[in-house]
Amino acid sequence: MAGIYIHIPFCSKACHYCDFHFSTLLKNKIAVVNSIAQELIIQKEYLGLSKVSTIYFGGGTPSLLSTLELEKILKTIRQNFVLEKEVEITLEANPDDLTLEKVQELKATGINRLSIGIQSFHQNHLDFFNRSHTEKQTFLAIENAKSVGINNLSIDLIYGFKDLTEEQLQFNLKQISSYQIPHVSAYALTVEPKTALSSFIKKGKVDPPSEELAKTQFLTIIDYLQKEGLTHYEISNFGKPNFFSKHNTSYWKSEPYLGVGPSAHSFNGKNRQWNIANNVQYLKLIHDEKPMFQKEELTEKDKLNELIMIGLRTIWGIDKKKLSKFSSGLQKQFLNELKKYLSQQKITETETSYVLQKKYWFLADGIASSLFQV
Amino acid sequence: MKNIRNFCIIAHIDHGKSTLADRLLQTTGTITDRQLQEQTLDDMDLERERGITIKSHAIQMVHKHEGETYVLNLIDTPGHVDFSYEVSRSIAACEGALLIVDATQGIQAQTISNLYLALEHDLEIIPILNKMDLASAMPEEVTDQIVDLIGCEPEDVIAASGKSGLGVDNILKAIINRVPAPKGDPEAPLQALIFDSVFNQFRGIVAYFRIMNGSIKKGDQVKFVNTGKEYGADEVGVLGLDYIPQKQVFAGNVGYIISGIKKAKEVKVGDTITNVINPCDKAIQGFENVKPMVFAGIYPVDTDEYEELREAMEKLQLNDASLTFEPESSAALGFGFRCGFLGMLHMEIIQERLEREHNMTVITTVPNVSYIAYTKKEEQIIVNNPSDLPEITKMDRVEEPFIAAQIITKSEFIGAIMTLCIEKRGVLKNQVYLTSDRVELQFEMPLAEIVFDFYDRLKTVSKGYASFDYQPIGYQASNLSKLDILLNGDQVDALSSLIHRDNSYHFGKKICEKLKELIPRQQFDIAIQAAIGAKIIARETVKALRKDVTAKCYGGDISRKRKLLEKQKKGKKRMRQVGNVEVPQSAFMAVLKLND
């Protein structure tokens, strides 16, 4: 099992909170797509013998790509990689791009899952985030997708900001049940450095998000979605059975993945590498046939720490079988640090893993860090 | 002897002493231009960076004047109040002093107190107006100040510039013509004043002296009168840019002796060297055992490094006899040392030298002065550490050291400075107008009050136009209390401090607030309390972490996030555990940074 991630580094508008790599200058779009196709060929050996079971277009805004551009990439993948019979092909899409015509075309390319960047169903929030779509387009996008039979839908929601009232949050959640959305990614608004949002906060134009509010709204969301039959399987992800994101799950189960496009990361079990986060330089490096990535080999400790960090964020916990592959010294040290949490019942032991109790998920990073081996 | 001149320099920090001294060395050919590093006399890195001379040094110049050859011994003096005893011994070794005053700034308090010392020792004062090349120089005004102060004629004041070289020849002339030749009996028994010592890695302690009477020969058996120890003079000589060995050094001259001494403690500044076979009747007057004024605990950041810290401290003590230390332990910090310093600057210097020269990262605890507690049974207990203070029920009274402080400032700042000094429990003793807008204020104050944040605040309230100096004047009764800090109910011994009861509420509140800033939020609430005995006088709470998880952790986030959490873990490893609370090192120094 392996995944391919394609980073499409273009957006029509810059959201105030976003720190992903993207450009609002679309003039290089065709060139980047061509280079991505070239990179796929250059990196065709990266995944070794693993068959590709998921393909994920992320960004940026991949729905800005034309059908031809998407097809070119997908064709290159089919020609150069061994694919499983059933492949999950996800496209991150902005509601304003999802016209009826567009979703029909997308479906024809083989894309079978859409992750729609709704964020909120309220115009004042979309304005606050500087999103490119309108409140009206959020509903239309979902309706269009469903009308052509793409039912494997995920929507993104943002919570934990002052302007999101209790009623508005309830309204947002209500749409999930009325549209029968099988998957939701709910993100607490995070202030990333060097974003417009962080500068507004520094200047005092916007209040910093309150942890208290984030926690309260987080609990509301968990409660609501669980009742709707969506499993809370990762800190920010909820899905009905069979609708968990296969691609993202593979990140959390340490499966290999190849990332192509500017700023994309790859992992093959031994090393991680990341492409240059600059469109023009990326184009030039591909053109000059020079390495477009930096690489780090993972030590045993690095791998163990990743296992801990990711494991604590999911319902699957830290896998005992994977743990048993580490040296007995490292295992011992880890189990020693773990004792405290087991006795406090913050982490519970199952037959196959160590799982962080749900009420402590909001503290997962600090707990992971304290279990790290450095 | 008639062609020897011994002189020192009295100057305020930044008034250009070192640059002018360099000019003298250059003009007399003592060093070549190539050898002339900036501020040659300050040869410790730290000294050069701070722009002050921490330890005094000496250098001999040979200069021809009107056909005669003169030996000019320049004895450099440290420019900070922490080292005033060393200054007094340097002055005692001279017959003259160059009083260097920055023509753009005028006379400062430090200069005045050292000047008085020089006048007490009947030194011939040669006033020099430095930095005359600057447009902002105020020669008339500053000359008036000098004339008022030492009663010289305006034409005695030499205009100079270390930068351009202006006046250097006049200074050399004045040294030869105005500074008296040393007096003394070359035939009398040896009597030499130790005014400094330095540690040399290969040769041990080198003592610098001025011979008052008699002479010293290589191979002599000598005795240090106050310590009573005897040594063989393995090497004697005079001080050029390097050591210049001589068979014999005579009365009136300045020189050095190397005698296989390993520890700086054995060579006490102010001690008298005499001959074992033919000793002098009495020691030179003015010797004092230097006493530390400020005490603080120094602990290794890494508890495993206690032995390394001990070694480093011992090495520092080799060339800094004024540093004292003894082992102590703290529940929060483990094993460390209670150290005595001459003052706050000295403390900072030791801390920096530990870090730079010995690669030790240390935690320094709340500094305090030395108190004397009397029990009801009239036992006298010296309190250098908050934990030494006897229980209230057993204690009769406490006394604390007081100082006489001189502050010189512009008249517009008198009000602000008075307010500050009174807040610091100072009592105004005198107020003298030096000129129409320069005032000298004299206060009596507890030493403890200047240990914390006094200099900085003085600088702030006077916009930098105040200079400060002090001398200890003995002990007076004090209403002292021990302030404890508790974290979730556990007392943190390393954060206890001794403080005057009147200040304790304000101080307790501020320290709780500072700790609240410095202690990171954890998975539970942390109560920070300040207490005197069982009574809580201040409280702050560090709220529990509500959210400590990033929203996203996808393929591109894993590497960066892992590194971030690894860094966090490393930081935590360096924290100290108090009960269940993790306390960063910075918190233990909170008290020193209350006003940051």
Side-chain angles (χ1 to χ4, degrees):
Chain A
M1 242 180 65
I4 294 179
Y5 173 83
I6 305 108
H7 189 81
I8 305 301
F10 298 102
C11 287
S12 54
K13 213 171 161 187
C15 303
H16 285 158
Y17 53 82
C18 182
D19 74 334
F20 284 109
H21 168 65
F22 66 89
S23 166
T24 49
L25 296 171
L26 304 185
K27 68 172 173 20
N28 284 327
K29 191 161 68 105
I30 295 169
V32 167
V33 169
N34 287 332
S35 292
I36 284 174
Q38 265 179 279
E39 191 193 350
L40 281 163
I41 297 168
I42 297 169
Q43 298 288 13
K44 61 193 264 188
E45 308 295 337
Y46 186 79
L47 297 171
L49 296 172
S50 307
K51 282 188 186 173
V52 173
S53 53
T54 62
I55 296 170
Y56 194 103
F57 289 91
T61 312
S63 53
L64 286 178
L65 292 196
S66 68
T67 311
L68 275 178
E69 288 164 343
L70 287 167
E71 271 171 348
K72 176 170 177 125
I73 293 170
L74 287 168
K75 193 174 143 200
T76 313
I77 293 174
R78 290 193 187 101
Q79 284 171 348
N80 292 281
F81 294 84
V82 186
L83 270 58
E84 297 272 7
K85 229 189 279 167
E86 304 239 329
V87 182
E88 177 194 86
I89 307 177
T90 308
L91 179 95
E92 285 181 353
N94 225 26
D96 47 337
D97 293 326
L98 294 183
T99 59
L100 192 58
E101 192 190 357
K102 179 82 176 183
V103 287
Q104 276 162 345
E105 286 175 17
L106 290 175
K107 200 183 175 195
T109 63
I111 287 165
N112 51 28
R113 185 172 181 270
L114 289 177
S115 169
I116 309 175
I118 302 275
Q119 319 308 349
S120 172
F121 292 93
H122 301 278
Q123 190 61 46
N124 64 325
H125 302 155
L126 300 174
D127 292 342
F128 172 59
F129 296 145
N130 199 39
R131 295 291 303 188
S132 62
H133 64 280
T134 62
E135 180 183 302
K136 207 169 163 193
Q137 287 167 330
T138 58
F139 304 107
L140 271 176
I142 296 172
E143 284 159 18
N144 290 340
K146 288 180 79 93
S147 73
V148 299
I150 304 182
N151 291 316
N152 194 352
L153 289 182
S154 175
I155 66 166
D156 287 352
L157 289 179
I158 298 180
Y159 66 92
F161 57 101
K162 208 172 82 182
D163 291 346
L164 177 64
T165 64
E166 177 61 27
E167 295 75 45
Q168 286 175 320
L169 176 60
Q170 285 297 335
F171 181 86
N172 283 349
L173 292 169
K174 198 110 186 259
Q175 306 315 306
I176 295 162
S177 28
S178 42
Y179 284 116
Q180 302 270 303
I181 308 278
H183 189 279
V184 176
S185 298
Y187 301 115
L189 181 66
T190 307
V191 185
E192 301 290 352
K194 292 180 197 161
T195 55
L197 179 63
S198 89
S199 115
F200 295 155
I201 289 173
K202 255 183 225 148
K203 288 178 192 151
K205 287 186 196 163
V206 174
D207 291 336
S210 137
E211 285 182 14
E212 207 62 47
L213 179 71
K215 179 137 194 186
T216 312
Q217 297 189 337
F218 182 57
L219 295 175
T220 306
I221 294 167
I222 294 174
D223 193 47
Y224 186 97
L225 294 180
Q226 264 169 356
K227 282 183 193 145
E228 284 300 311
L230 280 82
T231 306
H232 188 195
Y233 68 101
E234 194 260 357
I235 299 238
S236 305
N237 285 282
F238 304 79
K240 289 192 176 158
N242 298 322
F243 283 95
F244 293 2
S245 164
K246 290 199 185 81
H247 183 83
N248 290 338
T249 302
S250 74
Y251 294 141
W252 304 323
K253 294 196 165 176
S254 312
E255 302 291 346
Y257 57 91
L258 169 67
V260 293
S263 84
H265 284 233
S266 304
F267 169 66
N268 66 359
K270 297 186 194 77
N271 62 55
R272 291 192 182 276
Q273 58 185 46
W274 51 93
N275 285 351
I276 188 156
N278 178 303
N279 293 357
V280 175
Q281 287 178 39
Y282 171 80
L283 290 174
K284 189 166 180 345
L285 289 169
I286 295 275
H287 177 267
D288 296 349
E289 296 178 13
K290 285 187 183 152
M292 58 289 178
F293 57 84
Q294 279 181 290
K295 186 157 125 176
E296 84 178 330
E297 296 296 330
L298 298 175
T299 65
E300 285 300 290
K301 276 185 186 174
D302 293 343
K303 288 184 201 166
L304 176 63
N305 291 344
E306 287 184 356
L307 187 71
I308 296 167
M309 176 179 90
I310 300 166
L312 293 183
R313 295 173 62 95
T314 67
I315 45 166
W316 302 292
I318 302 165
D319 189 72
K320 281 188 185 171
K321 212 164 114 198
K322 285 192 180 122
L323 208 55
S324 70
K325 305 245 167 72
F326 289 94
S327 75
S328 58
L330 274 181
Q331 286 186 54
K332 225 188 233 165
Q333 284 175 38
F334 164 73
L335 290 173
N336 204 27
E337 306 247 20
L338 187 70
K339 265 190 219 151
K340 181 174 86 182
Y341 292 107
L342 290 173
S343 69
Q344 295 168 348
Q345 296 187 328
K346 289 182 177 168
I347 293 176
T348 49
E349 185 174 2
T350 70
E351 218 168 283
T352 54
S353 63
Y354 298 102
V355 182
L356 181 62
Q357 286 303 97
K358 277 273 168 72
K359 33 173 187 178
Y360 300 103
W361 276 23
F362 235 44
L363 299 173
D365 282 359
I367 295 172
S369 164
S370 73
L371 291 171
F372 269 21
Q373 301 300 316
V374 290
Chain B
M1 204 158 39
K2 76 176 181 30
N3 285 3
I4 295 177
R5 299 291 181 271
N6 299 317
F7 69 100
C8 59
I9 299 180
I10 296 168
H12 189 71
I13 300 166
D14 296 337
H15 280 200
K17 176 179 73 170
S18 298
T19 326
L20 205 56
D22 288 346
R23 283 287 178 183
L24 296 179
L25 300 181
Q26 212 181 358
T27 309
T28 56
T30 312
I31 51 171
T32 62
D33 296 356
R34 208 159 57 86
Q35 287 167 317
L36 181 76
Q37 280 173 289
E38 215 188 327
Q39 299 198 5
T40 308
L41 288 182
D42 298 345
D43 61 8
M44 270 192 338
D45 273 357
L46 203 57
E47 292 183 9
R48 212 168 293 150
E49 275 171 40
R50 285 179 180 255
I52 48 168
T53 313
I54 297 163
K55 294 274 294 172
S56 49
H57 299 261
I59 193 161
Q60 188 169 90
M61 295 170 266
V62 177
H63 186 58
K64 275 217 166 79
H65 177 69
E66 293 175 354
E68 296 242 6
T69 303
Y70 290 87
V71 169
L72 311 180
N73 290 308
L74 164 60
I75 296 175
D76 196 19
T77 55
H80 191 274
V81 59
D82 281 5
F83 306 98
S84 52
Y85 172 72
E86 297 193 13
V87 178
S88 82
R89 295 304 83 201
S90 294
I91 283 171
C94 298
E95 281 80 25
L98 306 183
L99 171 67
I100 298 181
V101 181
D102 185 330
T104 68
Q105 291 186 49
I107 291 184
Q108 308 290 320
Q110 184 78 66
T111 325
I112 293 194
S113 62
N114 287 344
L115 177 66
Y116 287 154
L117 267 178
L119 290 170
E120 268 172 43
H121 283 85
D122 286 330
L123 262 52
E124 176 66 31
I125 309 291
I126 300 173
I128 295 165
L129 274 186
N130 196 23
K131 304 199 185 176
M132 285 293 284
D133 57 310
L134 296 181
S136 51
M138 315 173 288
E140 291 82 13
E141 195 187 327
V142 181
T143 301
D144 283 350
Q145 287 177 17
I146 294 172
V147 170
D148 274 1
L149 204 63
I150 58 177
C152 64
E153 298 300 322
E155 48 276 13
D156 293 341
V157 180
I158 301 173
S161 160
K163 206 168 153 204
S164 71
L166 169 77
V168 173
D169 288 332
N170 286 338
I171 295 170
L172 287 168
K173 249 183 246 164
I175 293 168
I176 289 164
N177 293 333
R178 280 151 69 177
V179 174
K183 294 186 190 82
D185 180 357
E187 304 305 324
L190 172 65
Q191 198 190 32
L193 169 70
I194 298 176
F195 62 84
D196 194 12
S197 70
V198 296
F199 171 74
N200 181 295
Q201 219 180 322
F202 305 105
R203 318 201 61 182
I205 305 295
V206 184
Y208 295 175
F209 58 74
R210 149 77 196 273
I211 304 184
M212 307 313 243
N213 292 301
S215 67
I216 186 166
K217 264 205 311 283
K218 182 180 174 174
D220 277 352
Q221 277 297 310
V222 295
K223 180 177 176 179
F224 290 9
V225 177
N226 285 291
T227 62
K229 297 214 169 180
E230 294 181 6
Y231 308 94
D234 297 343
E235 180 179 319
V236 296
V238 295
L239 299 148
L241 197 59
D242 299 307
Y243 297 135
I244 307 168
Q246 307 278 307
K247 285 199 183 103
Q248 199 169 5
V249 183
F250 298 94
N253 211 345
V254 169
Y256 69 91
I257 174 170
I258 295 172
S259 48
I261 303 171
K262 297 278 182 296
K263 288 185 180 160
K265 271 193 279 195
E266 291 180 29
V267 181
K268 294 189 189 279
V269 168
D271 203 348
T272 305
I273 309 176
T274 191
N275 194 295
V276 173
I277 300 162
N278 182 18
C280 56
D281 300 342
K282 53 181 185 199
I284 298 158
Q285 295 220 323
F287 173 77
E288 279 174 33
N289 261 313
V290 184
K291 273 196 236 97
M293 305 292 270
V294 174
F295 295 83
I298 289 189
Y299 290 83
V301 161
D302 190 339
T303 42
D304 299 342
E305 288 185 345
Y306 173 72
E307 278 308 318
E308 282 95 322
L309 178 60
R310 176 199 293 280
E311 269 172 41
M313 300 281 283
E314 277 167 357
K315 278 192 189 136
L316 284 187
Q317 210 179 38
L318 286 179
N319 65 356
D320 185 348
S322 46
L323 169 68
T324 65
F325 63 92
E326 53 185 57
E328 73 169 6
S329 68
S330 142
L333 298 177
F335 291 99
F337 300 95
R338 173 86 355 195
C339 305
F341 310 98
L342 297 177
M344 289 299 279
L345 178 74
H346 188 215
M347 178 172 119
E348 279 173 44
I349 289 166
I350 293 296
Q351 208 176 317
E352 280 195 45
R353 289 187 64 193
L354 280 171
E355 293 191 0
R356 287 190 197 201
E357 295 167 27
H358 299 279
N359 221 354
M360 296 289 315
T361 341
V362 293
I363 296 174
T364 310
T365 64
V366 190
N368 56 260
V369 299
S370 187
Y371 297 91
I372 302 174
Y374 293 88
T375 63
K376 288 186 173 147
K377 292 176 185 158
E378 275 303 299
E379 286 166 306
Q380 185 182 321
I381 294 168
I382 300 209
V383 179
N384 290 339
N385 188 333
S387 63
D388 296 338
L389 193 71
E391 279 172 46
I392 297 173
T393 49
K394 292 185 184 149
M395 196 162 60
D396 181 56
R397 65 188 191 279
V398 187
E399 289 180 354
E400 66 176 318
F402 270 68
I403 55 161
Q406 299 89 45
I407 296 168
I408 295 180
T409 187
K410 285 189 172 178
S411 45
E412 59 188 288
F413 302 117
I414 295 177
I417 290 174
M418 291 265 221
T419 311
L420 171 65
C421 291
I422 288 162
E423 183 198 314
K424 293 285 189 182
R425 297 190 283 136
V427 176
L428 182 68
K429 287 291 171 184
N430 199 1
Q431 180 175 350
V432 187
Y433 276 83
L434 302 174
T435 63
S436 59
D437 77 332
R438 281 178 80 78
V439 187
E440 182 183 352
L441 303 170
Q442 294 168 9
F443 285 93
E444 279 186 20
M445 290 169 83
L447 176 64
E449 294 291 341
I450 63 156
V451 169
F452 295 124
D453 78 2
F454 181 77
Y455 292 94
D456 290 345
R457 288 186 58 195
L458 180 66
K459 231 191 250 167
T460 312
V461 300
S462 66
K463 302 200 167 78
Y465 286 105
S467 60
F468 171 70
D469 191 31
Y470 68 82
Q471 299 79 39
I473 50 166
Y475 279 72
Q476 294 179 20
S478 168
N479 189 0
L480 194 72
S481 54
K482 179 169 168 256
L483 182 80
D484 294 321
I485 298 295
L486 297 95
L487 294 179
N488 276 354
D490 290 319
Q491 192 200 315
V492 189
D493 56 0
L495 283 174
S496 292
S497 52
L498 295 168
I499 185 141
H500 194 265
R501 195 169 291 268
D502 293 350
N503 294 342
S504 56
Y505 280 79
H506 176 69
F507 187 75
K509 185 165 174 285
K510 276 187 103 170
I511 190 165
C512 286
E513 285 168 0
K514 192 75 195 175
L515 286 170
K516 186 182 175 182
E517 268 173 48
L518 294 170
I519 296 176
R521 295 194 302 155
Q522 291 166 33
Q523 287 171 23
F524 40 81
D525 282 359
I526 301 164
I528 303 169
Q529 293 168 306
I532 294 175
K535 192 176 171 204
I536 305 292
I537 59 165
R539 177 189 167 122
E540 291 285 335
T541 306
V542 178
K543 291 299 250 175
L545 262 179
R546 305 290 288 156
K547 174 172 176 287
D548 180 20
V549 67
T550 50
K552 295 187 181 182
C553 185
Y554 298 114
D557 305 310
I558 293 170
S559 214
R560 188 177 50 150
K561 192 171 152 77
R562 188 196 78 229
K563 283 169 195 159
L564 197 79
L565 296 184
E566 279 172 355
K567 205 171 143 200
Q568 242 178 55
K569 168 95 179 195
K570 281 181 190 151
K572 265 200 179 164
K573 264 189 161 175
R574 291 165 68 110
M575 289 195 195
R576 299 300 165 90
Q577 195 86 22
V578 175
N580 58 351
V581 182
E582 278 163 337
V583 186
Q585 300 146 36
S586 57
F588 293 102
M589 311 215 234
V591 187
L592 297 175
K593 297 176 190 136
L594 284 184
N595 290 308
D596 286 2

